[in-house]
Amino acid sequence: MRDETRKGRGKAEGKGAGRRTRGALAAAAALMLAGLVVAPVAVAADGQARSAQRGGLLSVTPVADRDAGQVRAFLTGRDVDTAVVRYGVRAYRLTYRTVDPHGAPTTATGLLTLPAGGPHRLDLVSDTHGTMVDRDYAPSVSEDFGRIPSYLNASAGRAVAAPDYLGLGEGPGPHPYMDTASSVTASLDMLRAARTAADRLGRPLTGDLYVTGFSQGGQVAMALGKALDEGADRNFRLRALAPVSGPYDLEGQEMPALFDGRVNDVSGVLYTAYWLVAQNRLHPLYKDPSEAFRAPYASRVERLLDGGHEQEDVVRGLAPSVRKLLTPVFHERLRHPSGAVLDAMRAADHTCDWKPEVPVRLYAAAGDTDVPLANTRTCARTLAGQGARVRVVDQGAVDHFGSVVVSAPQVVRFFDGVRR
């Protein structure tokens, strides 16, 4: 589920590099994007009524303008195949209206990326990102690993809407990690805001939608496809689904994998702590952190996961294993879930329990020790049981991040084939 820094790369590719990039980006934006749009773009008077609704666009801020060569360099630096790159890209941070997990009005941000060339009217890709604990690492803020799918798909000739989710990027409040319902509403409202922004930027959308996402975002992508299939917004025509390495089965696969060795200790600790802290805001899992977490972690875990700490700092501040992180009672509650813990797991599951009428490819990797391949196998069986036609693409011995590095260009080619 992790999308914050690729394992084995350290801070050079994480937030440290992202901050340096953003510093240069801020200076460059004024020069490179002058004359394209005003940043931020205010909502026009005739759009005020629409902006007050879910998905209403509040502002558009240019954040990147890269020619095709620069896009290739960005991708090559992250070991991504660049054969699909045809155009440069222009990227914008959108601020838009949505709702929080309780249905109350709030705002969120996300990244809209457009090709610098190609057809006038554009198909749209929804790309939902993986787990991140640092709000400043979100796609609309940091030009880093999370932008790989956006730059790939946009440089191939499609618009891309990448929500930051609630509480990440420049959205208010904490991130409700692994709350599927609010991730879907934030993603759906990002699509609506993207439609308005693309029209104002002179690149109107066709209405055809291709959905992908990585890790946590793979699960969100599947849930978003399900919502659209059920009529969440008839302005978008779902054309294909291509999630990558999603945790589709918390109860049956992902949580058990924390305890049977299939998930590595570092990732297991991060996911477990993040999930418990975030879900406790939505479900009554514990009254005090000391009920769930051992000392000294109980006194620091909620502060570490406040959205303002880098992943490396969070990991350093927590235990070396899930067993050493949790109290014995809570360790058993996760191994044998019931009550509120089981309810929280099941609220995130069942995203594959429907019949897509569009082509579906599920990408994953046998070597993944963050989100084991069994999650994808379970999803595929569930979809097939509903009568859907689905293909699993196993990328083999690569790790979690390797699965998206290899899969992302293949997803672009898959979408190209569907379009033809």
Side-chain angles (χ1 to χ4, degrees):
M1 293 181 275
R2 218 160 15 121
D3 187 28
E4 193 125 17
T5 48
R6 189 175 178 190
K7 286 181 283 185
R9 293 258 175 139
K11 285 190 178 181
E13 193 179 88
K15 187 178 175 185
R19 280 178 171 161
R20 291 193 295 273
T21 301
R22 290 197 298 275
L25 194 59
L31 297 173
M32 298 172 68
L33 302 173
L36 295 176
V37 295
V38 178
V41 174
V43 175
D46 62 359
Q48 286 179 350
R50 284 176 295 174
S51 72
Q53 301 171 353
R54 278 187 47 187
L57 181 64
L58 298 176
S59 67
V60 180
T61 304
V63 295
D65 188 349
R66 303 285 177 256
D67 63 29
Q70 290 171 321
V71 172
R72 291 188 186 95
F74 171 86
L75 296 170
T76 299
R78 289 154 181 83
D79 300 324
V80 180
D81 178 17
T82 63
V84 299
V85 175
R86 296 194 290 273
Y87 310 106
V89 302
R90 290 171 179 165
Y92 308 84
R93 181 185 308 116
L94 307 187
T95 304
Y96 61 96
R97 297 190 187 278
T98 187
V99 292
D100 69 12
H102 308 289
T106 187
T107 62
T109 54
L111 185 75
L112 172 65
T113 310
L114 304 176
H120 176 62
R121 290 172 56 82
L122 299 169
D123 293 348
L124 180 64
V125 173
S126 173
D127 173 57
T128 42
H129 67 72
T131 301
M132 54 183 62
V133 299
D134 184 350
R135 65 172 56 250
D136 287 344
Y137 197 75
S140 81
V141 179
S142 175
E143 187 174 52
D144 214 309
F145 196 82
R147 289 197 187 177
I148 287 174
S150 289
Y151 283 9
L152 273 172
N153 281 281
S155 68
R158 283 177 282 271
V160 186
D164 293 333
Y165 305 147
L166 299 179
L168 296 174
E170 297 191 353
H175 172 50
Y177 178 56
M178 292 300 292
D179 179 53
T180 306
S182 64
S183 295
V184 170
T185 57
S187 300
L188 183 61
D189 292 340
M190 176 64 187
L191 297 179
R192 294 165 172 152
R195 182 177 61 221
T196 303
D199 187 61
R200 292 180 186 169
L201 292 166
R203 303 299 297 276
L205 303 179
T206 65
D208 285 351
L209 178 67
Y210 301 78
V211 175
T212 187
F214 168 57
S215 196
Q216 176 192 0
Q219 187 244 31
V220 175
M222 187 58 66
L224 177 62
K226 183 178 182 180
L228 290 166
D229 182 74
E230 293 173 349
D233 194 319
R234 298 298 185 188
N235 290 297
F236 298 104
R237 298 179 294 272
L238 184 63
R239 295 293 310 278
L241 275 168
V244 181
S245 301
Y248 311 107
D249 188 9
L250 294 187
E251 180 186 356
Q253 295 296 339
E254 188 65 24
M255 286 296 179
L258 293 172
F259 304 100
D260 65 16
R262 285 180 290 155
V263 173
N264 70 81
D265 285 339
V266 172
S267 297
V269 167
L270 179 70
Y271 297 156
T272 301
Y274 202 7
W275 187 81
L276 286 172
V277 168
Q279 291 297 312
N280 193 58
R281 301 186 185 108
L282 306 174
H283 307 274
L285 302 184
Y286 58 80
K287 292 182 180 180
D288 187 271
S290 62
E291 297 174 25
F293 303 98
R294 294 176 184 263
Y297 314 113
S299 63
R300 68 178 71 145
V301 63
E302 293 186 345
R303 173 177 51 82
L304 286 170
L305 291 164
D306 63 0
H309 290 77
E310 297 182 32
Q311 179 174 297
E312 295 91 337
D313 293 335
V314 175
V315 169
R316 279 195 296 266
L318 296 177
S321 69
V322 173
R323 181 176 292 277
K324 293 182 179 180
L325 174 74
L326 301 178
T327 62
V329 170
F330 241 82
H331 189 270
E332 287 306 301
R333 286 188 68 184
L334 289 187
R335 285 191 65 194
H336 307 287
S338 62
V341 171
L342 183 58
D343 290 343
M345 292 181 190
R346 288 180 173 174
D349 289 340
H350 307 294
T351 59
C352 302
D353 189 13
W354 60 294
K355 181 185 177 182
E357 301 294 341
V358 300
V360 180
R361 286 191 185 174
L362 302 179
Y363 297 80
D368 191 340
T369 63
D370 284 57
V371 182
L373 178 63
N375 280 276
T376 296
R377 298 291 188 195
T378 298
C379 182
R381 285 195 300 270
T382 304
L383 290 168
Q386 299 294 317
R389 298 180 62 184
V390 55
R391 176 183 168 190
V392 173
V393 180
D394 180 358
Q395 305 291 12
V398 299
D399 65 9
H400 189 53
F401 293 98
S403 72
V404 72
V405 166
V406 176
S407 298
Q410 296 177 15
V411 170
V412 175
R413 295 186 185 96
F414 171 50
F415 289 165
D416 285 344
V418 172
R419 191 177 192 279
R420 286 193 292 268

